[in-house]
Amino acid sequence: MFSEKHGDAIDLSHHLSAIARARLESPLKGMAKYLGKPGLISLAGGLPSPAYFPFASVSGEVLAYDSFSLKTSPESSSSWFWNWFSGSRSKERTTTVTIGKYPKQPEDINLASSLQYGLAKGLPQLQDILNEFVRKVYQPAYGNWTTLVHTGNTDGWGKVVLTLFNPGEGLLCSEWTYPSAMASAIPFSVTPVPVKMDSQGMRSDDLRRILEEWDDQTRGMLRPRVLYTVPVGQNPTGATMLEERKKEIYEICVEYDIIIVEDDPYYFLQVGPYVLKSERDQEKDLSSASDDVFIAGLAPSYLKVDYQGRVIRLDTFSKTIAPGSRLGWFTCNPMFAERLERAAETSTQAPCGFGQALVTSALLEWKYDGYIRWLKGLRAEYKQRRDYLVDCLADEFHLRPVVGTHGYRAGTIMYEASLKPPKGIFVDFKEKDTLYSRIFSLVPPTAGMFVWLEMHFDDHPSFAELGYKKLEMKLWIALVEAGILFGPGQMFAATPVTDETDGTGHFRVSFSFNDNDELHKAVSIFGTVVRKFFSSRV
Amino acid sequence: MFSEKHGDAIDLSHHLSAIARARLESPLKGMAKYLGKPGLISLAGGLPSPAYFPFASVSGEVLAYDSFSLKTSPESSSSWFWNWFSGSRSKERTTTVTIGKYPKQPEDINLASSLQYGLAKGLPQLQDILNEFVRKVYQPAYGNWTTLVHTGNTDGWGKVVLTLFNPGEGLLCSEWTYPSAMASAIPFSVTPVPVKMDSQGMRSDDLRRILEEWDDQTRGMLRPRVLYTVPVGQNPTGATMLEERKKEIYEICVEYDIIIVEDDPYYFLQVGPYVLKSERDQEKDLSSASDDVFIAGLAPSYLKVDYQGRVIRLDTFSKTIAPGSRLGWFTCNPMFAERLERAAETSTQAPCGFGQALVTSALLEWKYDGYIRWLKGLRAEYKQRRDYLVDCLADEFHLRPVVGTHGYRAGTIMYEASLKPPKGIFVDFKEKDTLYSRIFSLVPPTAGMFVWLEMHFDDHPSFAELGYKKLEMKLWIALVEAGILFGPGQMFAATPVTDETDGTGHFRVSFSFNDNDELHKAVSIFGTVVRKFFSSRV
């Protein structure tokens, strides 16, 4: 079935929404054959003279691509951060990139171009970088894929919603999903259709069941044609989907003619399985591998199995450079890219020229190999952060490893957390697992920025009376009052949680931002609050 | 009727589209009362640590706000530009603004905030600048107006389209209008409803006629509820609407409950009436006036007559800083602003942090007075450019001043252009106006970036046979082949031009980008081409 590899995309134009079909051709298209004339004086557009741009140049001090060690310890990372913050920037190595108003060489990034009205495709130098990156890293399985910049994955997904959906249609997604993605689609009368999850995220068997059993009348809508997925470091559960599962889901999408939208901000934050602190010094990690082995060791993109061009992949610089760069890109077939470009022309136009020029200059300074090294360093940092947060939980609670049997934990190692006995009280080891009831359980995430805690409110003395939704909010408020803010689990449900919804409650806990001291303090507060919260009726 | 000045906006929530109504509340809203807690450790969001932003600092060399003389001559402007281009930047005066990763003072612009995920409202320092600017310059007539950043007026208008229109509705606009604005609305099944123009742009009497005579059945749609206008330097005609006309249109919009969307990129390019070269040394110009007199001398914004909060004004830094800043803002009532902010949260989010930080730093460096001086300087530059292009036309053609009697020229001084007699042939002055037939006519624009040429194809020998649409494209191609690119007039028609459409053809000619030598060369080529084109059947 993968024999068509490196053929071109098949015709998928029947997937375009009425809005996307009605997007006007660029007026330039009809005139294109006249515009290439050398020396043509254009008085057609409303371009300000670059003489009026009030920036003579823009510069950035770019960190060395190997600023972060591939073998981080909590201490090295933390001290680096605090050196930074306190102004003693001894360890920091930077190169200055400067973007002048006019190019010295024709290919130079320059403000006269970057700050001018430009094609929605963005800077040509950036296009080249993106194409090289996609070809080497994601290795699409068909020939005529293309890239197109957007202003971050939220914008990218928003444009996809307008391009693919007609009002009243359904959107296949995981049962736990990124709420902002749903908030982009729902106002356009799009209804989330949740698919059950296991430890790799979306389950292929449940996807097939939904599509096989689909009945327009019962469901009140046509069978969905679009699947939204965060396959790596799934938000909120942290699950990562491997190649075999992606192939299964892809083949179902071929069979039922479904477009896959792969929102993949955490691709390079694939930190691997959690290894207990005591065994970590024997851990084999991808960090020291060559670039090719490193990339081959990551779960592949859906692009790698996409031999028909039915995947729209969303990449962003938000996690790898900075969220404020508001810069990312689509990789998809040229038919979708053309319609998405038309959508950009009448909304965002090209991404910000300051951001494009500075990010592109940094990437040109680092080159491809340097950028991969930067990403390896970032990955090592996030691995340290993930490990540190789970270590803190393992210190604060008694964590018991079990094999998950249900839902998104099925078949994976998870940890059930119970309270430790109060200090000074001796408890026989064998009794530990039964003496104190479960508070929460977790699967340490293999990618991304979050630990997803399943709270065992069903073991809470007020469960029968209040249900888990109210208990989740009560504990959430108690935690805020004690000084820590978690993401309440019900925000992440694909369909709204009601008092009657079956379940046990969740929190999403981020390890991306805070330093180790804050993470440690937060876990300690969490321990104190839940010890009290679970001890009596609330 | 303006007695309610400085009351609050009236309730206009019935104008929200179904999409805008369905925009989800921010999840933060319900939690807001818990979030102000000092010292709260947030593990809720997916914010990367700023330690991972690879820019240690970003800098910009900002031009002095008085870089441009208020009394420019073609020579000074041109030489300044060429000094720049050739690298001899002797006249350039700059200050360097630097944005470090962490603030030294709490109020400092810094990358840790600017490059982080942020509120769709944008940087607080920029919000303060925009509020001061709107209050002092546009002086809204109601009390609780607010501002909200967007990524340029194209994006702003795109968000307004989604916020106000349901499919199948009509959009009041000028008969000649900005095509990109229509291209943003039409795919959402919005139909332009053109209103006739005179020398101030949209005619209030024709607007009233359309609304009075409106019949849903005949028109096939409900009476429009939204009016789109570029009231200053109207694109493409260059017309500027004065206060009295704005009041008339505003009152009609009150009567018929219409929302006015004021797209006003050229506000500070109000260069005033064209004065013949020979009389220009006696010209009184606003440039030397005090800031208050200068601002009072500009046509006011619709905001100044908006006592109900029914105007959504779009401002952009594209013409005053640079298009690539992709930064602008709405001024409107808080109800619309809240829905537009929700639209931003699920699409563009905040504008690019590099751009926001650099533009805000430049504005903080200049301060309000400096920015007004910068805008005065820009205006003087555009005045020089407008004058130079019209001077070139006056040199190349015989321009005869007449009072316009019809259409968008009614009541204003316009110039009819005919060919000059070939060199060496004596023509009596009185005969000049009749000997050679009209080629085109123009009203020199009082604002903006464009001269709008009405081409007298009705005097062309092939007119009866080909019609003006085909003649316009034939001449457009002849001009491209000779080396100049104009904007073809039919692109700017609110409703598509057909072979049967009555009219005479137009070109839009920009004076914003090219230097004087290029403008001169372009007009000379234009003269040569039309002399040939009008001399025989084509």
Side-chain angles (χ1 to χ4, degrees), chain A residues 18-19 22-24 27 31 34-35 37 39-63 68 77 80-81 84-85 89 92 94 97 101-102 114-117 151 154-155 158 162 178 180 182-184 186-188 318-326 345-355 358-359 362 366 374 378 381-382 385 449-450 476-477 480-488 491 508-510 512-514 518-519 521-522 525, chain B residues 18-19 22-24 27 31 34-35 37 39-63 68 77 80-81 84-85 89 92 94 97 101-102 114-117 151 154-155 158 162 178 180 183-184 186-188 318-326 345-355 358-359 362 366 374 378 381-382 385 449-450 476-477 480-488 491 508-510 512-514 518-519 521-522 525:
Chain A
I19 290 169
R23 295 272 188 209
L24 303 182
M31 304 180 189
Y34 302 110
L35 301 182
K37 208 180 144 65
L40 188 72
I41 302 177
S42 173
L43 299 94
L47 309 184
S49 165
Y52 305 148
F53 302 166
F55 290 89
S57 74
V58 164
S59 304
E61 277 186 277
V62 181
L63 266 59
F68 295 103
S77 171
W80 191 91
F81 180 83
W84 240 115
F85 197 77
R89 289 153 58 171
E92 179 197 354
T94 64
V97 295
K101 190 173 273 187
Y102 299 103
S114 305
L115 297 188
Q116 190 52 276
Y117 285 111
T151 74
T154 306
D155 172 51
L162 288 173
Y178 178 45
S180 172
M182 299 302 111
S184 297
I186 289 168
F188 295 92
S318 289
K319 313 308 196 248
T320 57
I321 302 283
S325 64
R326 297 289 81 218
E345 282 171 359
T346 51
S347 58
T348 50
Q349 303 196 339
C352 174
F354 290 107
L358 284 161
V359 171
W366 285 347
W374 171 259
L378 269 191
E381 287 287 311
Y382 279 90
R385 288 174 168 273
M449 298 182 154
F450 309 106
W476 185 82
I477 290 168
V480 170
E481 284 171 353
I484 54 171
L485 187 70
F486 286 176
M491 274 176 58
R508 194 190 74 172
V509 184
S510 163
S512 60
F513 184 80
N514 303 89
E518 285 177 323
L519 288 178
K521 188 176 166 194
I525 292 172
Chain B
I19 290 168
R23 295 274 188 208
L24 302 182
M31 304 178 189
Y34 303 109
L35 302 182
K37 208 179 145 63
L40 188 71
I41 302 177
S42 174
L43 299 94
L47 309 184
S49 164
Y52 304 147
F53 302 166
F55 290 89
S57 74
V58 165
S59 305
E61 278 187 277
V62 181
L63 267 58
F68 295 103
S77 169
W80 190 92
F81 178 81
W84 240 113
F85 198 77
R89 287 153 59 173
E92 180 198 354
T94 63
V97 295
K101 191 173 271 188
Y102 300 103
S114 305
L115 297 188
Q116 190 53 276
Y117 285 111
T151 75
T154 305
D155 170 52
L162 288 173
Y178 178 45
S180 172
S184 297
I186 290 168
F188 296 92
S318 289
K319 314 305 196 252
T320 56
I321 302 283
S325 64
R326 296 289 81 216
E345 282 171 359
T346 51
S347 58
T348 50
Q349 303 197 342
C352 174
F354 290 106
L358 284 161
V359 171
W366 284 346
W374 171 260
L378 268 192
E381 287 287 311
Y382 278 91
R385 287 174 168 274
M449 297 181 154
F450 309 105
W476 184 83
I477 291 167
V480 170
E481 284 172 352
I484 54 171
L485 187 70
F486 287 175
M491 273 177 58
R508 194 190 72 170
V509 184
S510 163
S512 60
F513 183 80
N514 303 87
E518 285 177 324
L519 288 178
K521 187 176 167 194
I525 292 171

Side-chain angles (χ1 to χ4, degrees), chain A residues 504-527:
Chain A
T504 60
H506 296 84
F507 289 117
R508 194 190 74 172
V509 184
S510 163
F511 52 82
S512 60
F513 184 80
N514 303 89
D515 60 54
N516 288 343
D517 288 349
E518 285 177 323
L519 288 178
H520 186 264
K521 188 176 166 194
V523 170
S524 167
I525 292 172
F526 179 55

Side-chain angles (χ1 to χ4, degrees), chain B residues 86-98:
Chain B
S86 62
S88 108
R89 287 153 59 173
S90 54
K91 290 192 181 179
E92 180 198 354
R93 290 172 290 122
T94 63
T95 315
T96 301
V97 295
T98 296

Side-chain angles (χ1 to χ4, degrees), chain A residues 1 35 107 145 176 185 285 345 401 416 430-431 438 525:
Chain A
M1 64 185 88
L35 301 182
E107 70 277 12
W145 55 271
W176 297 103
D285 189 68
E345 282 171 359
E416 283 190 351
K430 279 174 291 180
E431 283 186 63
R438 300 176 309 166
I525 292 172

